Every structure is written in C-alpha cells, then in structure tokens.
C-alpha cells in the first residue's frame, strides 16, 4: 500500500530540488498541497511537520512555510545522495525505478550532498571513510558467494577490517582516441605499445590543425595527473616505507614534470585551455583520459569513430592505471540496517548488474555481468579486460585535509612555473609535518582516554 506520508515528503523535496518554489523558497499552503496531491490535510501537515523537525523547512508565524536556508546540508535517513546530477549517470534512471518499487520510502537527491546512503566516487570515500559505518557485514550477507564478484576493486576501501564502501561498478582508466580527428590532421593511429615521445609527437601533429583545447583534455585534476605519476613509477604516500612521503621522490617528480611539459605543449597565449570531457562525446576532442564509464555516455550520444589505447609508456616506469569506482556508502548515523541491506541487495542483484552491463557504463562488480558487457563488440573491451590487472586505487590520502593539501599543492605546481624539484620538496615537507602533528594529536587523545579510564576505575 502506498505510503502517503512518503509521497508528500518526496513531493516537497522535489519542489526544493527542482527550484520551482517562489523566489523566497515559500511552499504552497498545506491545504493547497493536500488538494494537489489528493491526500488528507492531516497527512500533509504531519509530513511538513516532520520536515520542519529535520531542519529542511521552517515555519514563520503568519507568513507560511519556507525552505530552511541550510536545507541542502541536512542529512536525512530517507535520502540517497549522489555525487553528481543523476542525469549524468546512465544507470540512475533504472535505479530510481527499482528504488521506487522496492524501497519507496527512500528519496534520490544530488542537491542534498549528504544522505544516510551515499553514491560516491573513489577519492570521496577514501578521504571520508571515518564517516561511514563498516559495510563488511552487509557485503558478506548480500554476497554469500564471494567468487561471484571481483575482489580487487573492493580491497582499496578496506581500513583494517572495516569496509568503508561497497563498489558496484569500476574500471581502469585508458586513453580515448577520436579517429576522425587524427585522420583529419594526418596523424597515424599509435600502436598499443607506444611511448611518451610518441604521444607528444601526436600532440604536435594535431596542434597544426586544431586549437589546443580540442587536442587533449588537460587539467590539474588529481585523476589526470595521478595517472602519469603512477605511469612514471611514482607515488604520493607509501605507509610501508621508512619515510612514507614520496611526493619528492625522483619518479614522482618525473611524472609531474612530464604532465606539466604536456601543458606547455598545449599552451596558447601563455595559458592552458582545459576542455570538458563531454566535448569528446560530440566529436570535438582528439584525446581524453577516462574510464569505461565514458563508453556508456558515448553510446548515449551516438558518437562513433573512436577507439581506446593504453596510456603511453614512460621509460623506467610501469603500466599502472587509476581505478575509477562508484560505491554505496552508509553513514554511521544509519538507524535502519534492514533498509541498508535491501539497498545493497538491489545494487548487487543480477538484474541491476546486468543493466549496468548493457549500458556499457563501467564494469559491473558481478563477474557474470562484467563478462556479459565485455563480450560485446564495443571498442576497447579487450583493452579494459587486459588493464584490470594494472589497476591501482589506493592513494593513502585518507582525510579531506590531507587530500586538499596535496591536490591543491600539486595543482598550483602544475599550473605555475615553479621548479618541480623545489615545489615537491616544499610540499613533501608540509605533508611530513601534517603526519607529525596527526601522530601527536592521536597520542594525546589516547593518553587522555587512558587517564579518564583510570579515573573511572578509581571512582
């Protein structure tokens, strides 16, 4: 039986997120809503009162009910929040249908960034892992036969025995190539075993015909430059090393230097021109680094004449590529683990995993669904299958503060002209100081807890 209270809640949340309220965020009156929805006035009033108690709405006497100024920051037990607008995630429409059928009490949102249930990408989960409950028991309950699912994509989200999020799709990153633009510029299609200098030569040829923003999607985003750091054999942090900070290591510096050299090759009038990856989908970009998630978008836009290549090899480096992941995370404040279990079951079900497979959007976590998708004639399938063994997804940026420090520092270094050696040395020293302060803080907290425990026992 349809829960009319839930219907009212979702309708009001939809009004807020759609921006269809009056300029001051005023809701229609309860009687008007009751008439519009064909629901009793008492039910509407109860639903509005609940949203007021949750901080989403506020009542101003003799004026009406309004959206609370901070409504987007509220964390609701009924919300599944997305890290980007659902329209950019091809699987979200079917997901919404399944949730509406099986878990109608839940509401999908991207305007309210945080929810009890959250769909998040790789680095978001790793930097915020302390906010999420341990999903290991749920994962094992919903996946009693672990051999049916890929294990490697899951391992990156363990912290000790705690699982911070449950991946439901993933992919290595590769280079997407617009064959029509290469042909127009007279640039031969590179061989799969191509080297860094071969890549630069392609860039030079393409630059003779196309503007720099149409050649390669260059930006200081971590998921781009990190590929080239790993490709050079570098890393940011290695907890097992005597000095865990590797930002100023020789190979990390090489990867960063090469990526900045690439920027300079693409410069026009002294600055780089980043181009959104969606340009590739419309045939206006020659090269982009992306995961198999892009295949689903290319199928949706109908673009043809493209292929994929491994990222170019860097002498003395390795074949590592960054894993792109979409995960379900459950916040520690969750009060209904039955709902959480149902949600995990839906995401990992054969029905939904096969739906992801048919979209060509990423690689489903369920092996049978992945094989269903990779067995098609889509370009790049053989490469994505081969690159599974080369995926890396642990950067050890395990807090938002550390991730912001590193990504901001390297971003400024890549977009500026400071000497790479000097800049990485300064940033590495900052990160080492961060770790020292973090250790001292943890030690002080531990000592405080021990003293308090001794006091309690004595009392």
């Amino acid at each position: 039986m349809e829960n009319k209270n839930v219907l009212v809640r979702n309708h009001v949340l939809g009004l807020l997120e759609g921006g269809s309220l009056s300029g001051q965020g005023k809701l229609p009156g309860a009687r008007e809503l009751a008439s519009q929805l064909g629901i009793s006035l008492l039910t509407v009033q109860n639903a509005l009162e609940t949203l007021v108690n949750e901080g989403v709405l506020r009542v101003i006497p003799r004026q009406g009910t309004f959206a609370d100024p901070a409504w987007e920051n509220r964390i609701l037990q009924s919300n599944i929040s997305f890290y980007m607008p659902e329209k950019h995630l091809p699987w979200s429409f079917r997901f919404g249908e399944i949730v509406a059928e099986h878990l109608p009490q839940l509401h999908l949102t991207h305007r309210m960034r945080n929810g009890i249930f959250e769909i998040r990408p790789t680095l978001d989960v790793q930097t915020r892992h302390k906010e999420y409950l341990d999903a290991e028991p749920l994962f094992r309950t919903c996946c009693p036969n672990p051999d049916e699912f890929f294990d490697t994509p899951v391992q990156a989200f363990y912290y000790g025995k705690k699982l911070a999020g449950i991946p439901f799709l993933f992919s290595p990153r590769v280079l997407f190539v617009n064959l029509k633009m290469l042909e127009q510029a007279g640039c031969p299609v590179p061989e799969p075993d191509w080297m860094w200098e071969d890549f630069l030569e392609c860039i030079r040829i393409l630059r003779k015909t196309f503007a720099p923003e149409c050649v390669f999607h260059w930006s200081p985003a971590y998921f781009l430059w990190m590929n080239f750091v790993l490709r050079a054999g570098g890393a940011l942090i290695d907890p097992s090393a005597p000095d865990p900070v590797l930002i100023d290591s020789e190979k990390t510096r090489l990867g960063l230097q090469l990526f900045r050299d690439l920027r300079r090759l693409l410069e026009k009038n002294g600055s780089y021109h980043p181009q959104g990856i969606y340009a590739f989908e419309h045939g206006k970009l020659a090269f982009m680094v992306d995961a198999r998630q892009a295949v689903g978008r290319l199928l949706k836009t109908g673009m043809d004449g493209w292929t994929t290549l491994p990222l170019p090899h860097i002498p003395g480096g390795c074949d590592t590529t960054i894993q792109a992941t979409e995960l379900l995370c459950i916040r520690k404040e969750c009060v209904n683990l039955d709902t959480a279990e149902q949600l995990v079951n839906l995401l990992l079900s054969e029905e939904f995993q096969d739906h992801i497979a048919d979209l060509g959007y990423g690689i489903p976590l369920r092996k049978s669904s992945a094989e269903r998708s990779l067995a098609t004639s889509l370009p790049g399938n053989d490469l994505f299958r081969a690159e599974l063994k080369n995926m890396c997804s642990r950067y050890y940026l395990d807090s938002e503060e550390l991730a912001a420090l590193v990504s901001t520092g390297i971003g400024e270094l890549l977009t500026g002209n400071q000497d790479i050696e000097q800049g990485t040395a300064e940033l590495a020293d900052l990160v080492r100081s961060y770790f020292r302060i973090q250790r001292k803080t943890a030690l002080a907290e531990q000592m405080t807890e021990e003293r308090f425990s001794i006091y309690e026992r004595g009392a």
Side-chain angles (χ1 to χ4, degrees), residues 106-414:
L106 297 181
H107 174 76
L108 278 59
T109 175
H110 74 270
R111 290 284 301 275
M112 302 178 78
R113 177 166 172 76
N114 297 319
I116 287 299
F117 307 106
E118 298 180 354
I119 305 296
R120 290 283 178 261
T122 304
L123 192 60
D124 275 11
V125 178
Q126 293 178 347
T127 59
R128 301 171 61 185
H129 66 94
K130 294 179 181 179
E131 300 175 21
Y132 302 121
L133 60 71
D134 180 9
E136 163 72 13
L138 282 174
F139 185 56
R140 296 307 168 196
T141 298
C142 299
C143 307
N145 184 0
D147 291 340
E148 294 180 358
F149 298 88
F150 289 101
D151 181 60
T152 300
V154 182
Q155 290 304 315
F157 303 98
Y158 274 99
Y159 293 84
K161 294 183 178 180
K162 172 188 172 180
L163 180 61
I166 299 176
F168 55 93
L169 64 87
F170 67 98
S171 172
R173 280 187 169 88
V174 300
L175 193 74
F176 282 74
V177 183
N178 184 325
L179 294 172
K180 295 178 180 179
M181 291 183 70
L182 264 63
E183 181 180 4
Q184 186 179 343
C187 180
V189 179
E191 295 295 327
D193 59 349
W194 65 330
M195 303 298 291
W196 179 257
E197 187 53 45
D198 300 324
F199 178 48
L200 295 186
E201 182 59 23
C202 286
I203 298 293
R204 295 185 190 102
I205 295 172
L206 288 162
R207 281 287 285 111
K208 295 175 182 178
T209 304
F210 301 108
E213 62 268 24
C214 297
V215 175
F216 178 77
H217 172 224
W218 193 102
S219 90
Y222 93 92
F223 71 86
L224 276 176
W225 56 257
M226 191 65 198
N227 281 288
F228 296 92
V229 166
L230 293 175
R231 211 74 176 166
L236 300 177
I237 295 166
D238 179 3
S240 65
D243 177 2
V245 181
L246 301 180
I247 293 169
D248 53 352
S249 68
E250 180 181 352
K251 292 190 173 183
T252 300
R253 284 171 169 164
L254 173 62
L256 294 174
Q257 184 66 59
L258 293 177
F259 195 61
R260 191 166 74 176
D261 290 345
L262 178 59
R263 182 206 94 192
R264 288 172 172 167
L265 194 59
L266 293 166
E267 279 182 343
K268 182 179 180 181
N269 300 326
S271 63
Y272 75 92
H273 292 251
Q275 177 70 37
I277 61 175
Y278 298 110
F280 190 92
E281 300 165 20
H282 299 284
K284 297 180 180 180
L285 187 64
F287 289 130
M288 74 168 181
V289 176
D290 212 327
R292 195 169 185 265
Q293 282 81 316
V295 173
R297 299 197 297 267
L298 292 171
L299 291 174
K300 188 176 180 179
T301 58
M303 182 191 168
D304 57 7
W306 59 272
T307 190
T308 58
L309 285 169
L311 294 170
H313 301 286
I314 296 174
C318 57
D319 294 336
T320 307
T321 177
I322 288 182
Q323 173 183 311
T325 326
E326 290 177 13
L327 307 95
L328 171 69
C329 303
I330 304 163
R331 298 186 70 88
K332 290 180 177 179
E333 300 92 330
C334 179
V335 299
N336 195 332
L337 291 180
D338 288 341
T339 299
E341 183 176 333
Q342 291 179 67
L343 190 53
V344 173
N345 273 321
L346 288 177
L347 280 169
L348 298 182
S349 67
E350 188 172 359
E351 176 194 358
F352 186 69
Q353 290 280 295
D354 281 353
H355 176 66
I356 294 173
D358 294 341
L359 291 171
Y361 183 85
I363 300 173
L365 191 71
R366 183 180 284 270
K367 290 180 180 178
S368 61
S369 301
E371 186 55 39
R372 172 184 177 131
S373 192
L374 293 172
T376 63
S377 59
L378 289 173
N381 278 351
D382 289 343
L383 176 60
F384 283 112
R385 189 192 301 273
E387 290 288 276
L388 292 178
K389 66 181 185 299
N390 297 325
M391 288 190 310
C392 171
S393 53
R394 277 308 297 266
Y395 321 119
Y396 299 100
L397 302 178
D398 292 344
S399 73
E400 290 184 285
E401 298 80 10
L402 179 58
L405 174 63
V406 172
S407 60
T408 300
I410 291 181
E412 291 177 353
L413 189 58
L414 292 172

Side-chain angles (χ1 to χ4, degrees), residues 57-93:
L57 303 177
R58 60 173 177 159
V59 176
I60 301 179
R62 295 186 295 278
Q63 293 187 40
T65 303
F66 296 80
D68 189 274
W71 70 269
E72 291 178 284
N73 298 324
R74 305 307 182 197
I75 299 176
L76 305 186
Q77 291 286 332
S78 60
N79 271 2
I80 305 174
S81 69
F82 288 75
Y83 70 99
M84 66 163 63
E86 298 96 304
K87 65 181 180 180
H88 297 313
L89 300 169
W91 53 265
S92 66
F93 180 75

Side-chain angles (χ1 to χ4, degrees), residues 436-446:
R436 283 195 295 271
I437 293 170
Q438 189 181 53
R439 284 194 293 268
K440 289 180 180 179
T441 301
L443 181 60
E445 290 175 349
Q446 180 182 348

